[in-house]
Amino acid sequence: MAAFQWKDEYNLNIEEIDKQHRKLMEIGKKAYDIAVIDDGYDRYDEIMTILDELLEYTKYHFEYEENMLKQYNYEHIHNQEEEHAFYVYKIKQVASREDIDENQRKVVLEIIDFLSKWISEHIMGADKEYAVFLKKLKVA
Ligand SMILES: [Fe+2]
Ligand SMILES: [Fe+2]
């Protein structure tokens, strides 16, 4: 799926951050791979494991970014924090849906949709902005 193929334009050219963004995309790819298998098997446990992994890794990545940006007194840190909080809220919301078991495919597709929006909107927007800032400071 095109949405989970890493493109050069996603790179901030900050090695550790690009590595973390790629990892988030890999988790999305895993969710996608589950959504396309249509063999009638129950995928509930696999979906919950991916949601868990997504939540944990997301929190790790956001904390990493926020700490880094605080260190350099980034002026738009609040915008980052707000957008991050929104994504964490969304993942928790999906993970706590009571109908996951009956609507496995639908839930996975929601995760995919949400991750591809995240990449196009947050990484290509707010994250790119801090990358410019760090490059100006010559710390990245
Ligand atoms: Fe990020
Ligand atoms: Fe971010």
Side-chain angles (χ1 to χ4, degrees), residues 65-107:
E65 274 186 351
E66 287 166 17
N67 287 336
M68 175 181 74
L69 296 174
K70 268 178 212 152
Q71 193 186 333
Y72 296 112
N73 294 313
Y74 181 50
E75 56 179 340
H76 302 299
I77 180 89
H78 294 298
N79 180 40
Q80 277 285 333
E81 284 170 337
E82 259 173 46
E83 289 193 25
H84 288 171
F86 169 74
Y87 289 110
V88 169
Y89 164 78
K90 285 292 285 182
I91 298 169
K92 285 186 176 161
Q93 201 186 35
V94 173
S96 67
R97 276 177 50 167
E98 282 168 12
D99 63 337
I100 293 182
D101 213 3
E102 300 92 78
N103 293 303
Q104 297 184 358
R105 226 168 220 279
K106 202 169 162 245
V107 171

Side-chain angles (χ1 to χ4, degrees), residues 21 61-62 65 80 84 122 127 130:
H21 286 161
H61 169 64
F62 287 168
E65 274 186 351
Q80 277 285 333
H84 288 171
H122 185 74
D127 284 359
Y130 81 60

